[in-house]
Amino acid sequence: MIAKIVKGSNFRGVVSYILDKEKDARILVCDGLFAENKETTAGSFEAQARMNPKVTKPVGHIALAFSKEDEHRLTDRAMAGIALEYLKRMGITDTQILIVRHFDKEHPHVHIAFNRIANDGRTISDRNERIRSTRICKELTRKYGLYFADGKEQVKRHRLKEPDKTKYELYSILKSEVVRCGNWSILIANLKKQGVDVRFKYKGSSDEVQGVVFSKNGYPFSGSKIDRRFSYSKIDAALNANRHKERQRVIGGQTADPEYPMQQPPQYEPSGNDELYSGSIGLFMPANVNAQADENYFEEQLKRKNKKKKQHKIRF
């Protein structure tokens, strides 16, 4: 469930749009309005707005959209109830309200027109309305067990053009692979099989990794630009957490969790001219050592890195 909030000054415009017959409009709630037709409905809104002429944008318009996954559950009554609860939590009460369901899109949605001038002439506050709306939408989605899709999952990818098409391909691949891997070497090997190259950004002339870049189809994207969860630091934390979880299962004598199967490290043997490996000493642990040896190797390389001449570093 997501909401889009718009304010305006033309009640006739919003009423005409919401009650458009071409959208197969169906009125679910009509409170405080003389709704014989579009003209009388808009006139009712305008009459109340004149109680507070200082407000230049008395029109409130909210579109509430739901996932297609919930279409079979969202009866008119259910959608009206959720919309009214949303308005109450937003502090939009004691005013004129028109809630109309449209059937012109593949996903269920309603349009809400309301008067920002309440029945007593006060102005309904819009302070932090978008922040409050986002929180309330999430709360209602959880409360009613509605489908909680990631924003990127709602994108119609077949309509995307480059480079956005590749960006969302990378999003899907990373979402699947990061939860399955226990270190960077495994992740990089898995991504390479799917045509994804990985490079690192460094801080100044140091060996300190500052970011990660993923490339596919000739289009490079910083991890954080694909999604905030795919910044270098967050991926690194996720891989460490996966590795810790696997160790705990081994110590406890448990088998791997089928939901997040940890893969065996590939036999990755870096050659002397392997730029990716040599430019990232300490980041990728050898695949043929155990967890404790991984840590020892990492510490060993950190001690030596300042004594070695920095060569073959990956820059971006």
Side-chain angles (χ1 to χ4, degrees), residues 172-284:
S172 295
I173 294 171
L174 288 169
K175 183 180 177 184
S176 173
E177 294 297 335
V178 170
V179 297
R180 301 171 61 224
C181 301
N183 60 51
W184 279 99
S185 62
I186 297 176
L187 177 61
I188 289 173
N190 288 358
L191 293 178
K192 187 174 182 179
K193 292 176 183 177
Q194 300 179 65
V196 180
D197 293 324
V198 182
R199 290 184 289 174
F200 293 87
K201 295 186 292 185
Y202 293 88
K203 185 175 182 180
S205 59
S206 71
D207 284 330
E208 181 181 347
V209 178
Q210 194 172 38
V212 61
V213 176
F214 301 97
S215 300
K216 184 175 172 62
N217 302 327
Y219 296 103
F221 295 93
S222 295
S224 58
K225 295 296 183 182
I226 297 172
D227 192 272
R228 284 180 293 179
R229 80 183 81 171
F230 298 138
S231 66
Y232 170 78
S233 60
K234 290 187 177 180
I235 291 179
D236 197 55
L239 297 178
N240 288 334
N242 292 344
R243 188 162 61 251
H244 177 72
K245 185 177 180 181
E246 179 66 10
R247 289 174 184 171
Q248 292 300 110
R249 279 198 292 267
V250 171
I251 292 173
Q254 300 177 16
T255 57
D257 187 339
E259 184 177 357
Y260 299 110
M262 297 295 292
Q263 299 184 356
Q264 291 298 320
Q267 295 303 312
Y268 182 74
E269 297 294 340
S271 61
N273 61 353
D274 191 327
E275 183 183 6
L276 179 60
Y277 189 89
S278 63
S280 308
I281 291 178
L283 290 175
F284 311 126

Side-chain angles (χ1 to χ4, degrees), residues 297-311:
Y297 177 83
F298 181 79
E299 293 176 0
E300 180 79 20
Q301 296 304 319
L302 285 177
K303 293 177 181 178
R304 293 180 179 179
K305 70 178 182 180
N306 291 327
K307 298 180 180 180
K308 290 184 177 181
K309 183 178 180 180
K310 300 179 179 65
Q311 295 178 340

Side-chain angles (χ1 to χ4, degrees), residues 63-116:
L64 286 183
F66 302 83
S67 171
K68 195 175 187 301
E69 301 286 334
D70 294 317
E71 186 174 14
H72 65 289
R73 303 174 53 199
L74 292 172
T75 62
D76 290 350
R77 182 175 181 178
M79 292 183 76
I82 293 172
L84 288 172
E85 185 170 351
Y86 168 85
L87 291 173
K88 183 178 180 179
R89 294 193 182 199
M90 286 289 291
I92 303 172
T93 59
D94 301 318
T95 190
Q96 296 167 316
I97 293 173
L98 179 64
I99 302 177
V100 180
R101 182 172 186 173
H102 283 183
F103 294 87
D104 60 328
K105 301 288 178 64
E106 62 181 16
H107 62 277
H109 64 289
V110 295
H111 288 269
I112 305 170
F114 68 94
N115 205 325
R116 295 188 59 234

Side-chain angles (χ1 to χ4, degrees), residues 12-31:
R12 294 183 184 275
V14 72
V15 169
S16 179
Y17 175 80
I18 288 179
L19 296 179
D20 189 348
K21 291 182 179 180
E22 293 185 1
K23 300 183 183 299
D24 195 14
R26 184 184 302 169
I27 296 177
L28 303 185
V29 177
C30 182
D31 186 14

